[in-house]
Amino acid sequence: MSRERAVFGPDTLLERVARFPVPERYWVGFSGGADSTALLLALHELTARLKAPIHAVHFDHGLQAQSADWAEHCEAFCRTRDIPFLKRSLEIGQNSGSGPEERARNARYREVESILGEREIYLTAHHADDQAETLFLNLMRGSGVEGLAGIPAIRTLGGGWVARPLLDFQRDDLTGYLAETDTTWLEDPSNAETVFDRNYLRNIVFPMLEKRWPGVCSRLTRTARNARISATALAAFIERQSGDLLGDRIRMPLQKLLGFDRDMQALVLRQWLRRHEVPALPASRLDEFLAQLSLAQPDAQPEVQWADWMIKQYRHELWLHRRRPYPACTEAAWTGGMNIGLGPDTGEYRLKGAETRIPDGWKVAPRAPGGRIRTVDGGPSRKLKQFFQAASIPPWLRLGIPVLYWDDEPVALGDWVLGHRLQWWLTENDLELEWKPADSVLSRVRKECQQ
């Protein structure tokens, strides 16, 4: 027996929103199209009944010539209704090996994560038609049960959540609501371009399926709900079987993973990605990576890359993080001030204590080959490479870790290895040297090295 189709409006939307945690603030993704306009308008009508304020955020992907006009439309819509509005322009990379739709989505969610504060929710206008399209696309990719479960109603992101309160409603429900309220919206001309997979489904495939099997959207969304139940049960089983393997979002012990059979290894890795909100790894690449792991020599570094992500082996662990070359620490003379910027990932060095003149000859740069630090006056010096190896820091992260030079001699590696000359100067001036990385992986490395 099928579910009764919900009628979209503020009351039914409030019922869906009430299923989510009560946040400090709602962020509403607002493109100006029919779906997001209906969501934002209905939420605005609910302002007095919601337990948190709503803010709209518009992302300009720069992929359309008229994108500036869309941003102006969205800002005007919000201004006339006193809805706080934020616009963010995105940089869409060209060399990730993925299509423009995926690159845009990845860039958008990176920006969403930077916007979300603790216990804030980002609401998207994904609806039942989107759910059906996602299930169908995942089916064409050969996805497993998690892919057939489609778009989750809520997931964590940073310190908050991403939630989709419209999954029970179809596109016609939303446009009907806008017609009743005499509300206009924008039409993206690219929606007619069937070169994009979703548009091909929407404009060509689904109308044909609808003629043969009326209600195809409802059928597929019902399949997604059933698959979500199975996926949740499977995830719980994998969590029980894998013990503490999945808790760390950056590193995984390799030996225990390889103790499972190949199918279970694949399930564990998929659950690791799912738990930490990382896009699914294509099955063919996952199988190839597991084969490499089983045959790898102790000093090998097998890796797999997809979307914006990578998993790479170093020694007896797997490392999971964003797929992008880590920029080297900025090289700069430290001539004054109590802090110095080190680049977008490396962050900054700063001195904690009273304002003090910086000695002549200070410079910050990445590790140079052959560099050595003497930590004890009169004692032996050690290569920087040895400190990296002792701390199990992978080679691909090392150029992002700052080295402080004094008269061209290394006197600090990060802020956990200090040369005797620097130690003496800091003590004499009652100061501490602190490195504050901007990147989460480098922050993790620093924290572990200080323990």
Side-chain angles (χ1 to χ4, degrees):
M1 185 175 179
S2 62
R3 285 186 174 186
E4 183 179 349
R5 181 166 168 176
V7 177
F8 179 75
D11 290 336
T12 49
L13 177 60
L14 184 61
E15 293 176 7
R16 272 60 177 183
V17 171
R19 299 171 186 174
F20 305 140
V22 177
E24 298 294 323
R25 169 164 48 187
Y26 293 104
W27 288 99
V28 183
F30 184 39
S31 68
D35 308 337
S36 63
T37 299
L39 173 60
L40 185 58
L41 182 64
L43 285 170
H44 175 63
E45 293 189 38
L46 292 169
T47 299
R49 300 163 66 185
L50 291 173
K51 297 181 179 180
I54 61 172
H55 288 61
V57 56
H58 175 82
F59 297 106
D60 184 352
H61 301 83
L63 297 176
Q64 299 286 347
Q66 61 270 55
S67 61
D69 296 335
W70 297 346
E72 290 180 8
H73 166 90
C74 292
E75 185 171 8
F77 181 96
C78 293
R79 185 170 55 249
T80 59
R81 294 166 176 81
D82 293 323
I83 301 172
F85 176 80
L86 175 67
K87 174 193 167 186
R88 288 291 176 90
S89 297
L90 303 180
E91 292 186 8
I92 310 300
Q94 299 294 324
N95 58 355
S96 68
S98 55
E101 292 175 288
E102 185 175 352
R103 293 199 304 271
R105 180 188 183 280
N106 291 336
R108 184 168 62 253
Y109 277 100
R110 284 196 298 270
E111 196 67 25
V112 170
E113 187 172 4
S114 73
I115 292 170
L116 273 182
E118 290 292 322
R119 295 195 61 80
E120 293 184 348
I121 289 183
Y122 175 68
L123 298 176
T124 80
H126 290 95
H127 45 69
D129 299 66
D130 295 317
Q131 181 74 289
E133 291 161 8
T134 297
L135 186 155
F136 200 94
L137 289 171
N138 286 341
L139 184 64
M140 293 301 98
R141 296 182 185 118
S143 298
V145 65
E146 180 66 28
L148 298 184
I151 306 170
I154 188 168
R155 66 179 179 89
T156 59
L157 184 67
W161 302 271
V162 174
R164 286 94 176 195
L166 304 185
L167 291 179
D168 289 336
F169 306 102
Q170 294 186 10
R171 184 177 290 111
D172 290 346
D173 301 320
L174 306 181
T175 55
Y177 167 71
L178 293 177
E180 290 174 4
T181 56
D182 196 25
T183 305
T184 60
W185 66 88
L186 298 175
E187 287 287 356
D188 185 346
S190 68
N191 287 339
E193 297 176 9
T194 54
V195 66
F196 299 117
D197 289 343
R198 282 190 180 273
N199 292 347
Y200 183 78
L201 277 179
R202 189 176 305 155
N203 298 321
I204 296 178
V205 176
F206 275 19
M208 290 192 298
L209 293 176
E210 183 69 26
K211 289 180 180 179
R212 179 73 178 187
W213 294 283
V216 65
C217 176
S218 298
R219 296 169 187 264
L220 290 175
T221 52
R222 187 162 61 249
T223 297
R225 283 195 294 269
N226 292 334
R228 177 62 58 192
I229 295 171
S230 299
T232 300
L234 179 60
F237 170 77
I238 297 168
E239 293 273 349
R240 288 195 300 269
Q241 294 298 309
S242 56
D244 58 356
L245 267 182
L246 305 177
D248 192 319
R249 70 173 302 157
I250 296 174
R251 297 160 73 173
M252 175 184 285
L254 182 58
Q255 185 174 1
K256 184 173 181 179
L257 175 68
L258 295 180
F260 294 115
D261 63 40
R262 182 67 63 83
D263 288 341
M264 189 62 183
Q265 290 172 18
L267 289 172
V268 169
L269 282 183
R270 288 193 181 282
Q271 181 61 20
W272 190 33
L273 303 182
R274 193 157 43 243
R275 181 196 257 215
H276 299 296
E277 304 298 333
V278 177
L281 173 56
S284 58
R285 295 189 192 178
L286 176 57
D287 291 342
E288 181 181 354
F289 179 58
L290 289 173
Q292 292 175 0
L293 290 179
S294 66
L295 300 173
Q297 299 299 314
D299 59 346
Q301 294 178 9
E303 67 178 283
V304 60
Q305 299 185 359
W306 75 105
D308 279 353
W309 292 86
M310 62 176 280
I311 302 175
K312 190 168 184 175
Q313 178 186 346
Y314 178 61
R315 293 185 174 175
H316 303 296
E317 291 182 308
L318 298 181
W319 286 70
L320 167 67
H321 53 71
R322 294 281 182 187
R323 170 197 170 189
R324 56 187 170 87
Y326 273 81
C329 165
T330 299
E331 182 171 346
W334 193 348
T335 57
M338 297 293 281
N339 64 295
I340 182 172
L342 305 173
D345 286 329
T346 306
E348 69 171 10
Y349 257 146
R350 66 186 182 188
L351 292 169
K352 298 172 64 177
E355 187 78 24
T356 305
R357 188 184 74 84
I358 300 298
D360 295 334
W362 272 26
K363 178 182 74 173
V364 180
R367 172 182 70 93
R372 307 177 75 94
I373 287 185
R374 193 183 308 275
T375 58
V376 178
D377 190 15
S381 63
R382 293 180 62 192
K383 292 182 178 181
L384 298 179
K385 181 179 180 179
Q386 292 175 302
F387 287 106
F388 281 125
Q389 291 174 334
S392 295
I393 298 173
W396 63 88
L397 297 178
R398 294 176 187 175
L399 287 178
I401 297 174
V403 177
L404 176 61
Y405 293 83
W406 193 345
D407 295 333
D408 295 324
E409 177 188 356
V411 292
L413 173 61
D415 59 359
W416 65 89
V417 179
L418 303 181
H420 71 91
R421 185 182 182 188
L422 178 63
Q423 287 177 324
W424 177 87
W425 183 83
L426 292 171
T427 301
E428 285 291 302
N429 291 278
D430 194 24
L431 297 171
E432 293 181 32
L433 177 69
E434 183 179 45
W435 172 39
K436 297 288 290 182
D439 176 77
S440 60
V441 178
L442 294 179
S443 293
R444 169 68 176 277
V445 167
R446 173 185 179 265
K447 181 180 179 180
E448 293 186 349
C449 288
Q450 289 183 319
Q451 294 175 347

